[in-house]
Amino acid sequence: MLESALENYGDGVVLVCFGALVGILFGAAAQHSKFCLRASTVEVAEGQFGPRLSIWLAAFTMAVATVQTMIVLGWLDVSDSRQIANPGSLSGAIIGGLMFGVGMVLARGCASRLLVLSATGNLRALITGLVLTLVAQASLRGVLSPAREALSGLWMVSGGTDRDLLAQLGLTSGIAALIAGAALLIALLFAASRKVPSTQIIAGIGVGLAVSLGWLVTYLVAMTSFDVVAVTSVTFTGPATDTLMGLVSNPQLPLGFGVGLVPGVFVGAGAMALWKGEAKIQRFGADNPLENYLIGAALMGFGSMLAGGCAVGAGLSGGAIFAVTAWVAVGSMWIGAMVTHRIITCRPIMRTA
């Protein structure tokens, strides 16, 4: 069936459709569960291990458990993915992760959360996301790219086993799947103990499932197609940048998984918000100073390109395949966010919405 679809419609169209479906699932699940790395770091920084942390843990452990289980079953091979096969930067993961963590506290959301909130009518998130995307593009191919390359080059690591955390630890995917499965059970019990509604817990699991499905569908297309297809999953800074720049400067937008993912998330989150009666126009105000959001967006745009991914691209997708740089990046994001929140915790802009 997949082979027939690829033959009739081409790789690009099939990948866009898969991206849209995964995006709809991610968007709806993220909106309903209130999945947010920033909110999780705020809880930990305040010593409150509450519902937002439990949702993030459920999504993360679900992604790791399902991806590693698929690898054990022979359904998935991520050895050729960018996060494992290509050389990476540990200095970029550390510095970029710290910058991203600071930025998401100032902007009250990471790249994925801003996209989800934009779909609900949050104009602050929409403008912040656009600025983030423009800075990311400047960091990737524009005026900020020399600075990004210089920082990345401080501490490089070669691809292959050097970027595979499981190989470095001497562990197998089977062991990783068992540990992640146990951690998932603990996360679910933790969420229940925090009185998180069951539908939100299920939605949190759905976020992790979307990540694993992203890996699976792109791998299946790569294995079936005669052309070279990147094995990837849910990430936002790169696809959002490509989509925006394509719409602005290229009438023939190159089709791929990310092109379907971004609008899919927007549709899924918007539909969920409308269904739950949560859609509402939100603007900047006295308690939401524009400068905080702009600075946060700039830090996240540069930081995500330096770190090799956003809070989802590195934190969930890269974390699920045990890419060394991804784990370092998300750890740095946690540190940057918690320290920033502790420093400016008295300011109203920092409070969790």
Side-chain angles (χ1 to χ4, degrees):
M1 183 176 177
L2 178 57
E3 185 176 350
S4 176
L6 291 173
E7 182 178 348
N8 293 330
Y9 303 106
D11 299 353
V13 172
V14 173
L15 285 169
V16 167
C17 292
F18 276 142
L21 292 174
V22 171
I24 289 172
L25 171 61
F26 183 97
Q31 168 59 22
H32 185 59
S33 66
K34 310 304 179 190
F35 171 80
C36 180
L37 177 59
R38 180 199 70 91
S40 302
T41 61
V42 167
E43 285 187 346
V44 175
E46 295 180 347
Q48 300 174 0
F49 302 97
R52 295 292 173 262
L53 175 62
S54 69
I55 290 296
W56 188 88
L57 290 173
F60 178 78
T61 53
M62 179 65 179
V64 176
T66 50
V67 166
Q68 294 302 314
T69 298
M70 288 190 295
I71 292 174
V72 172
L73 295 175
W75 298 355
L76 176 64
D77 183 359
V78 296
S79 60
D80 290 332
S81 66
R82 171 183 61 84
Q83 292 95 326
I84 297 292
N86 296 348
S89 171
L90 285 174
S91 58
I94 296 169
I95 300 171
L98 289 171
M99 292 178 67
F100 193 95
V102 174
M104 71 179 178
V105 170
L106 292 174
R108 300 185 71 176
C110 65
S112 64
R113 186 61 181 161
L114 292 175
L115 178 59
V116 169
L117 289 176
S118 298
T120 71
N122 191 317
L123 301 182
R124 300 191 302 270
L126 177 62
I127 294 173
T128 305
L130 290 173
V131 174
L132 187 160
T133 301
L134 291 173
V135 174
Q137 176 67 14
S139 305
L140 180 63
R141 301 186 180 93
V143 66
L144 297 177
S145 60
R148 175 186 57 80
E149 292 170 358
L151 292 172
S152 295
L154 295 176
W155 187 4
M156 295 293 295
V157 58
S158 58
T161 56
D162 286 346
R163 287 191 76 180
D164 187 340
L165 184 58
L166 290 181
Q168 293 297 311
L169 296 175
L171 300 176
T172 65
S173 290
I175 294 175
L178 289 174
I179 295 174
L184 174 59
L185 178 59
I186 294 172
L188 296 179
L189 293 173
F190 174 53
S193 71
R194 291 299 179 266
K195 311 297 183 184
V196 179
S198 58
T199 57
Q200 288 191 9
I201 296 176
I202 294 172
I205 293 174
V207 171
L209 180 61
V211 169
S212 59
L213 287 176
W215 283 118
L216 178 62
V217 296
T218 57
Y219 174 73
L220 291 176
V221 173
M223 291 299 100
T224 307
S225 175
F226 289 106
D227 298 322
V228 176
V229 174
V231 180
T232 186
S233 187
V234 180
T235 187
F236 290 97
T237 311
T241 300
D242 292 340
T243 302
L244 179 61
M245 293 301 104
L247 293 174
V248 170
S249 61
N250 188 355
Q252 295 182 337
L253 182 65
L255 301 180
F257 182 80
V259 174
L261 176 71
V262 173
V265 170
F266 192 89
V267 170
M272 179 60 72
L274 289 172
W275 183 40
K276 301 294 293 184
E278 297 169 342
K280 181 177 63 174
I281 298 296
Q282 298 184 58
R283 303 176 177 86
F284 291 100
D287 294 334
N288 309 112
L290 176 62
E291 60 270 23
N292 286 48
Y293 289 85
L294 295 181
I295 295 171
L299 288 170
M300 283 193 291
F302 186 82
S304 61
M305 287 302 173
L306 181 58
C310 61
V312 172
L316 264 66
S317 295
I321 63 172
F322 285 91
V324 170
T325 49
W327 279 71
V328 172
V330 75
S332 299
M333 291 176 192
W334 272 87
I335 294 171
M338 289 190 295
V339 171
T340 302
H341 178 75
R342 293 296 297 175
I343 291 173
I344 52 180
T345 187
C346 61
R347 296 181 61 182
I349 187 65
M350 293 300 107
R351 293 174 186 165
T352 303

